[in-house]
């Protein structure tokens, strides 16, 4: 009875409108919370207005996502009769609401009904993600969750994206991720309203897509010798050593993943990276190189030299015509990404065929030969009814007329291309490269450079001085040299892609760092329930060290997140919140060897214990001089 009473009281509390906290990410364009909640109960019906398969799919997906953790199997109807009193309504607008575009939606929750409407199914799909985020974190649980109240706060939401291109790229060449991993990654993207999955399918370390006209691309090109440890330092393949590490997607797998993404309103952009980054293809077909090889699929050894297709050999373009033809048939997206980055042109300069090509085509530099190559690929891509995207190197030597440019070496490539009237996608290293460190290298898994969460959040894809309409949007890129597993891919992707999700979706003027941190933390609780990995590096301080002439090393610790307190020791003991509190820059006591730090918030441990060698700080201070 007491249990009953408690239940009644808590339901009463809910109905009296004890405000349920809302932490939507990305932030919607407008949100008004009203008193009260809508309580999910088995009597609620999901109604989809209009008998259209895309609507039914969204309704079914909502039904399943609710059923798994709650055990409530809500019934589905495709029209509403008067007998249905409590419902979740999914409705396509009869007359398009001009504020919403293709991907926007409105969501109204009262204590009687949840009403979601949009111009297109994509809008309903994004509205469903918002609806799910209004429910407690346990709604993401894969098993029945112990949750007393499954309710949504009463709200009125109007929402639509800032950009139409909200991408994440996954490199499946440096490490292979089976299709199940890719689907899981796509699932995570969909929850945060990403709509483009850029699949980096080929590179020096593995060719991952079955091409029926060239079977060795995968029978040879998808496999390399196994190595563990530090990428770029691995031993080269030894004579006779079996190439057992790798894998690839059959065309059947590709179709399955494409459909999976489509069901989640995500477009997949395939990338076939040429003319550089082609060592795996050349291991299979050395005849498309300048020298004839032989080549091995690179296992992550120091860069070996030749990895470009020959630009002087006509059969290279016959090869690409067939490859791109098969790729075009597999992917419904209007774009094919041809890579084009970091092409090593040294062998072109020594190759008689490439030199002959330059003479015949009156090309004055290796850059112009690269531009010639890109234009030929552009013609192939156009002949398959698709449009070309390339990394910003395709600007060198003259840009192909119809190309869309993905700017990665900063924003400059994008700016130049936009000024020439081309569409661009902004994915500059300094804001968007998810393979970079997100906290101090002494505590993070080994990689390179630095991209902290707050920096991601400061990204603006639209630079000054260009036509904003040419900026399709932005993208985070996860290169996987140092990412051998999906768990680690998740660690590198989140929470930084929470920041990017908000940059790409929400109005710029709504940016709010402390608010974002709170919303991102709420998402990590959902990820705990869903068993998705993420980094907690945002709680760790950044170290800055300068060498002062008088006093020696001066160390400054800084944190990004409001309300953190850092504690430290110099005496080799483990720090906790009884240790010295960091309040001002520190001088190093004589003979101290390590500065150990740890971070708390409201008395709770949030950061990692970091042991920073003083020798490391001395080195860094020296390097900065
Ligand atoms: C790239 O990072 N090479 C596009
Ligand atoms: Zn050549």
């Amino acid at each position: 009875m007491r249990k009953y009473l408690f239940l009644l009281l808590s339901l009463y509390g809910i109905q009296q409108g004890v405000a349920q906290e809302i932490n939507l990410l990305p932030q919607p364009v407008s949100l008004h919370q009203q008193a009260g909640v809508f309580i999910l109960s088995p009597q609620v019906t999901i109604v989809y207005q209009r008998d259209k398969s895309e609507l039914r799919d969204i309704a079914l997906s909502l039904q399943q996502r609710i059923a798994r953790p709650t055990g409530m199997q809500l019934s589905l109807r495709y029209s509403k009769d008067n007998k249905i009193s409590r419902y979740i309504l999914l409705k396509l607008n009869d007359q398009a609401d001009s504020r919403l575009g293709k991907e926007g939606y409105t969501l109204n929750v009262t204590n009687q009904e949840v009403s979601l409407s949009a111009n297109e199914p994509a809008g309903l799909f994004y509205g469903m993600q918002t609806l799910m985020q209004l429910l407690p974190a346990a709604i993401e649980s894969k098993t029945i969750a112990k949750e007393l109240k499954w309710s949504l706060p009463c709200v009125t939401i109007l929402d639509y994206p800032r950009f139409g291109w909200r991408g994440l790229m996954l490199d499946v060449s440096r490490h292979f991720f089976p299709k199940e991993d890719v689907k899981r990654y796509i699932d995570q993207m969909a929850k945060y309203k990403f709509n483009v999955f850029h699949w980096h399918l080929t590179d020096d370390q593995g060719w991952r897509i079955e091409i029926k006209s060239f079977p060795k691309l995968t029978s040879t090109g998808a496999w390399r010798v196994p190595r563990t440890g530090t990428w770029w330092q691995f031993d080269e393949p030894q004579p006779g050593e079996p190439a057992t590490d790798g894998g690839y997607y059959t065309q059947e797998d590709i179709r399955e993943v494409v459909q999976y993404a489509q069901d989640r309103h995500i477009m997949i952009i395939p990338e076939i990276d040429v003319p550089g980054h082609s060592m795996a293809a050349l291991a299979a077909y050395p005849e498309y190189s300048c020298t004839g090889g032989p080549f091995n699929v690179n296992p992550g050894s120091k860069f070996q030299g030749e990895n470009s297709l020959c630009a002087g050999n006509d059969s290279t373009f016959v090869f690409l015509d067939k490859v791109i033809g098969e790729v075009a048939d597999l992917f419904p997206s209007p774009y094919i990404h041809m890579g084009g980055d970091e092409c090593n042109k040294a062998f072109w300069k020594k190759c008689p065929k490439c030199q002959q090509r330059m003479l015949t085509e009156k090309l004055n530099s290796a850059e112009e030969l690269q531009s010639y190559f890109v234009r030929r690929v552009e013609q192939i891509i156009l002949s398959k009814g698709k449009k070309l995207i390339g990394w910003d190197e395709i600007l060198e030597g003259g840009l192909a007329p119809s190309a869309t440019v993905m700017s990665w070496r900063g924003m400059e490539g994008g700016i130049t291309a936009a000024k020439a009237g081309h569409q661009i996608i902004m994915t500059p290293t300094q804001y968007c490269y998810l393979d970079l460190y997100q906290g101090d290298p002494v505590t993070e898994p080994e990689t390179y450079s630095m991209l902290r969460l707050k920096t991601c959040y400061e990204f603006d894809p639209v630079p000054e001085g260009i036509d904003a309409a040419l900026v399709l949007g932005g993208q985070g890129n996860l290169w996987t040299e140092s990412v051998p597993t999906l768990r680690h891919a998740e660690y590198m992707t989140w929470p930084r892609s929470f920041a990017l999700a908000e940059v790409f979706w929400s109005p710029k003027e709504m940016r709010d760092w402390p608010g974002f941190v709170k919303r991102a933390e709420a998402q990590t609780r959902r990820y705990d329930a869903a068993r998705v990995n993420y980094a907690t590096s945002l709680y760790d301080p950044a170290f800055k060290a300068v060498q002062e002439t008088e006093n020696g090393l001066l160390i400054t610790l800084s944190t990004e997140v409001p309300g953190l307190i850092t504690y430290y020791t110099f005496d080799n003991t483990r720090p906790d919140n009884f240790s010295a509190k960091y309040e001002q820059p520190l001088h190093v006591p004589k003979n101290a060897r390590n500065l150990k730090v740890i971070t708390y918030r409201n008395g709770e441990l949030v950061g990692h214990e970091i042991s920073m060698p003083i020798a490391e700080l001395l080195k860094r201070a020296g390097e900065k001089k």
Side-chain angles (χ1 to χ4, degrees), residues 271 273 277 341-342 391 393 408 429 433 448 477 479:
E271 181 185 349
D273 197 353
H277 288 271
D341 57 322
E342 300 177 313
W391 299 111
E393 284 92 333
W408 73 279
T429 314
Y433 267 41
Y448 68 106
N477 294 335
W479 303 100

Side-chain angles (χ1 to χ4, degrees), residues 93-166:
N93 294 325
D94 295 324
Q95 292 252 299
D97 178 337
S98 61
R99 297 168 305 174
L100 303 183
K102 284 182 168 40
E103 300 189 306
Y105 63 92
T106 57
L107 175 61
N108 292 301
V109 180
T110 69
N111 51 20
Q112 278 306 305
E113 64 167 80
V114 176
S115 170
L116 180 55
S117 54
N119 297 336
E120 306 272 346
L124 294 179
F125 183 79
Y126 297 123
M128 172 175 71
Q129 309 312 324
T130 300
L131 190 163
M132 292 299 292
Q133 284 191 18
L134 290 171
L135 286 160
I139 200 75
E140 296 296 337
S141 171
K142 304 239 180 283
T143 51
I144 296 284
K146 289 195 189 71
E147 183 79 32
L148 192 57
K149 44 183 190 201
W150 294 106
S151 62
L152 301 93
C154 293
V155 285
T156 309
I157 292 174
L158 164 71
D159 200 14
Y160 48 83
R162 179 173 173 207
F163 296 104
W165 186 293
R166 304 180 301 278

Side-chain angles (χ1 to χ4, degrees), residues 290 310-312 348 351 353-354:
C290 288
C310 177
W348 287 0
C351 168
K353 289 196 191 109
C354 286

